[in-house]
Amino acid sequence: RVYATIASLTQKAGLPMPEVGVYNSAEVNAFATGPSRNRALVAVSTGLLRTMDDDQIAGVLGHEIAHVANGDMVTMTLLQGVINAFVMFFARVIAYAISNRGDSRNRNGGSFMIVFVLQIVLGFLGSLITAWFSRQREFRADKGGALLAGRERMIGALRRLAANRDMVDTQHEALATLKINGSQGWMSLFSTHPPLEAR
């Protein structure tokens, strides 16, 4: 059922067939990953398959195929790399400027600590940029999912996800970009996914 749905959606999107995975987990989740549009993997949890009907599953899979079509996996990896490079570069430039203003005897010891603190601060600001950009990509994938699977299916999938938000595992921060649901309130600034209500 999952394979046939993905095959239909990828054909509609003009994409080659990705690898398809189903993983055993009670959480309601799905994700797309891979190095390119031609070498992608779309996976869904058994919890999602048990919780959703065929139309809702098609909506979720349409969203994931839209991620593949948009090249979001590579785009977000490149963006994170660029942000990290800027953080390291500007931390050193600012630290150099600050340390050259003080007493020359304290420059070497203090410079390392300044770089360290600046990397934390700039990394924090960089994560806000990355999270904002990721949220925009999620809205775009929702639109793509609506075009591929149908508007009502996409809306139905999002409503079902909202009803089951407590069934998305949020313990593994490293996998946050693969999760369906985002945070609410001021924590939404750090979330890679928009709140389901906004979607």
Side-chain angles (χ1 to χ4, degrees):
R1 174 175 60 154
V2 172
Y3 190 93
T5 303
I6 291 175
S8 172
L9 292 167
T10 52
Q11 185 176 20
K12 193 171 182 180
L15 294 171
M17 184 68 184
E19 287 187 58
V20 176
V22 175
Y23 64 97
N24 189 26
S25 173
E27 74 168 337
V28 177
N29 197 29
F31 64 87
T33 188
S36 71
R37 293 165 47 129
N38 297 327
R39 293 179 56 213
L41 162 72
V42 175
V44 296
S45 69
T46 53
L48 184 141
L49 296 177
R50 283 193 300 267
T51 304
M52 295 190 171
D53 64 29
D54 287 352
D55 284 344
Q56 293 163 348
I57 291 169
V60 169
L61 294 175
H63 172 94
E64 300 306 334
I65 295 300
H67 273 310
V68 175
N70 296 337
D72 288 337
M73 300 91 65
V74 175
T75 301
M76 291 309 300
T77 301
L78 289 173
L79 176 67
Q80 188 63 63
V82 169
I83 293 288
N84 290 345
F86 274 108
V87 165
M88 289 187 288
F89 174 76
F90 283 112
R92 281 162 179 74
V93 168
I94 295 168
Y96 177 80
I98 292 171
S99 63
N100 280 334
R101 292 180 60 207
D103 185 356
S104 61
R105 291 172 297 182
N106 297 327
R107 285 183 189 166
N108 291 336
S111 180
F112 174 77
M113 187 52 82
I114 293 170
V115 169
F116 180 73
V117 170
L118 285 169
Q119 283 182 338
I120 292 173
V121 172
L122 294 175
F124 177 80
L125 295 175
S127 68
L128 292 175
I129 295 169
T130 304
W132 177 85
F133 194 80
S134 177
R135 291 192 300 272
Q136 303 316 303
R137 304 298 283 191
E138 289 302 319
F139 283 126
R140 188 174 173 202
D142 285 343
K143 182 179 179 181
L147 292 171
L148 290 172
R151 184 174 183 270
E152 292 307 314
R153 286 177 169 176
M154 190 70 237
I155 291 171
L158 290 170
R159 284 186 175 148
R160 189 66 177 162
L161 288 170
N164 292 285
R165 73 176 72 243
D166 57 329
M167 294 180 72
V168 177
D169 182 9
T170 57
Q171 292 179 343
H172 304 289
E173 288 299 317
L175 302 177
T177 58
L178 302 177
K179 302 300 182 180
I180 288 172
N181 191 16
S183 303
Q184 293 181 307
W186 68 272
M187 283 302 291
S188 64
L189 294 173
F190 301 96
S191 179
T192 58
H193 285 60
L196 284 164
E197 291 76 11
R199 294 170 69 183

